[in-house]
């Protein structure tokens, strides 16, 4: 039906002054005159991932049928597995998978969620994900939450701490004080999440978790270092509050370990593991084990579009989806590359209904921001 003729991997510069503020995109072209777009992890501007795409994966994709994406990408994953199955390789596969699903939808004239079996919902409630709270005072945390609640009317708020990863239990009384102040601000009925960003020992996490239970928080995210799966499980089993994790786990096998340990909501990231195919598999995995999946989200353009289609196709959804919105100005700027971003209002996003990802990339806007970082196939 179609053949891949070109695979580009490039950074998109949102500001030339701040190299860290770059996204990593792929653009796949076919002989059917259709292009698909994908996105990789934004860590370090995606530069390491783009190198793997350009040097290792792109040459093997040219000449292949984009509708064979799962077989082709799984073959490449295993061919290059020694590059590291827990890192850049999985994000490279993810970016390409998203682009090939975009092509598949455009070839067949259907949005991605239709090709995955249809939408349980086309309006997706979201929660505000507010980072950097370890560095704020209690008052500053309250003001930051208040501003975002007023602006976006989210269905829930998560306060992320983003503290120094080399210290544990740095300021437990201060963290609990911030959790209390936010509860007081939003009132008793409002859904809240607390993201420790791996900041506690097991003992520290139990102490904070008990306080969060008293305060009626809905979930406690990554209480311990992600690589201590048993410790994460011990915290999950000893507390009543739901413990969540998974944004730093990049294989299905790793996700199974987290579920077996006791994690009740898994938070796989479609840009870091498997793309749309991988996350659809994680949705099935969560269903099979009676746990929930609420994916991790960081980027308000292509990655968010992929995320919306995935949130549409999962049946159980007791929590809203994540909306990180790095900074107001950045998000508005980043969305200028799309002609049809998702409508947003009243704490919800509408799932795009156009073919593929349904977001219509404006190539004039995109091309002027492209920064090549690796030789192209
Ligand atoms: Ca997190």
């Amino acid at each position: 039906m179609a053949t891949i003729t070109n695979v580009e991997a490039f950074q998109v510069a949102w500001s030339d002054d701040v190299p860290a503020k770059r996204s990593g995109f792929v653009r796949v072209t076919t002989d059917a005159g259709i292009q698909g777009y994908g996105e990789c992890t934004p860590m370090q501007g995606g530069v390491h991932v783009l190198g793997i795409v350009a040097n290792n994966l792109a040459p093997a994709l040219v000449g292949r049928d984009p509708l064979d994406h799962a077989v082709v990408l799984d073959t490449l994953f295993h061919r290059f597995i020694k590059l590291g199955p827990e890192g850049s390789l999985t994000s490279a596969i993810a970016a390409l998978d998203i682009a090939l699903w975009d092509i598949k939808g455009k070839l067949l004239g259907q949005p991605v969620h239709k090709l995955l079996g249809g939408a349980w919902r086309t309006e997706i409630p979201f929660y505000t994900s507010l980072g950097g709270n370890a560095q704020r005072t209690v008052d500053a945390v309250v003001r930051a939450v208040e501003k975002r609640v007023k602006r976006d009317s989210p269905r829930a708020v998560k306060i992320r701490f983003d503290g120094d990863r080399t210290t544990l239990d740095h300021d437990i009384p201060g963290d609990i004080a911030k959790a209390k102040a936010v509860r007081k601000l939003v009132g008793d009925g409002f859904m809240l999440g607390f993201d420790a960003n791996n900041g506690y020992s097991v003992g520290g996490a139990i102490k904070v978790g008990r306080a969060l239970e008293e305060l009626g928080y809905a979930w406690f995210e990554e209480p311990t270092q992600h690589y201590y799966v048993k410790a994460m499980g011990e915290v999950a089993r000893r507390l009543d509050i739901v413990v969540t994790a998974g944004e730093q786990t990049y294989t299905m096998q790793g996700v199974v370990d987290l579920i077996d340990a006791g994690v009740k909501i898994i938070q796989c990231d479609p840009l870091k593991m498997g793309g749309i195919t991988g996350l659809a598999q994680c949705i099935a995995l969560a269903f099979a084990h009676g746990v929930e999946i609420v994916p991790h989200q960081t980027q308000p353009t292509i990655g968010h579009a992929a995320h919306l289609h995935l949130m549409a196709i999962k049946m159980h959804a007791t929590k809203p989806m994540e909306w990180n919105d790095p900074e107001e100005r950045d998000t508005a700027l980043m969305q200028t590359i799309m002609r049809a971003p998702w409508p947003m209002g009243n704490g919800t996003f509408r799932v795009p209904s156009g073919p593929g990802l349904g977001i219509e990339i404006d190539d004039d806007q995109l091309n002027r921001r492209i920064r090549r970082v690796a030789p192209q196939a």
Side-chain angles (χ1 to χ4, degrees), residues 86-204:
E86 285 282 352
S88 302
L89 177 59
T90 57
S91 185
I93 298 280
L96 290 166
D97 181 81
I98 292 167
L100 296 181
W101 271 101
D102 193 26
I103 289 173
K104 188 194 304 209
K106 288 169 178 168
L107 275 172
L108 301 174
Q110 294 291 333
V112 165
H113 63 266
K114 286 277 186 192
L115 300 176
L116 287 166
W120 289 96
R121 61 197 73 78
T122 53
E123 302 277 336
I124 312 285
F126 66 84
Y127 74 80
T128 284
S129 179
L130 184 72
N133 292 303
Q135 295 79 25
R136 292 191 178 103
T137 62
V138 174
D139 281 351
V141 171
V142 169
R143 282 198 303 275
V145 171
E146 190 172 37
K147 188 175 158 202
R148 294 284 289 277
V149 168
K150 206 173 269 179
R151 192 189 77 196
D152 292 341
S153 310
R155 300 299 174 88
V157 169
K158 175 172 86 187
I159 47 171
R160 309 199 315 265
F161 280 76
D162 300 312
D164 175 1
R165 284 167 182 271
T166 62
T167 62
L168 298 179
D169 303 344
H170 179 65
D171 182 16
I172 288 176
D175 297 349
I176 293 173
K178 289 169 189 174
K180 256 186 203 162
V182 170
R183 169 53 76 206
K184 193 171 165 210
L185 171 78
V186 297
D188 277 347
F190 194 86
M191 188 186 291
L192 288 172
F194 183 105
D195 187 348
N197 295 104
N198 316 100
Y200 302 124
S201 66
V202 170

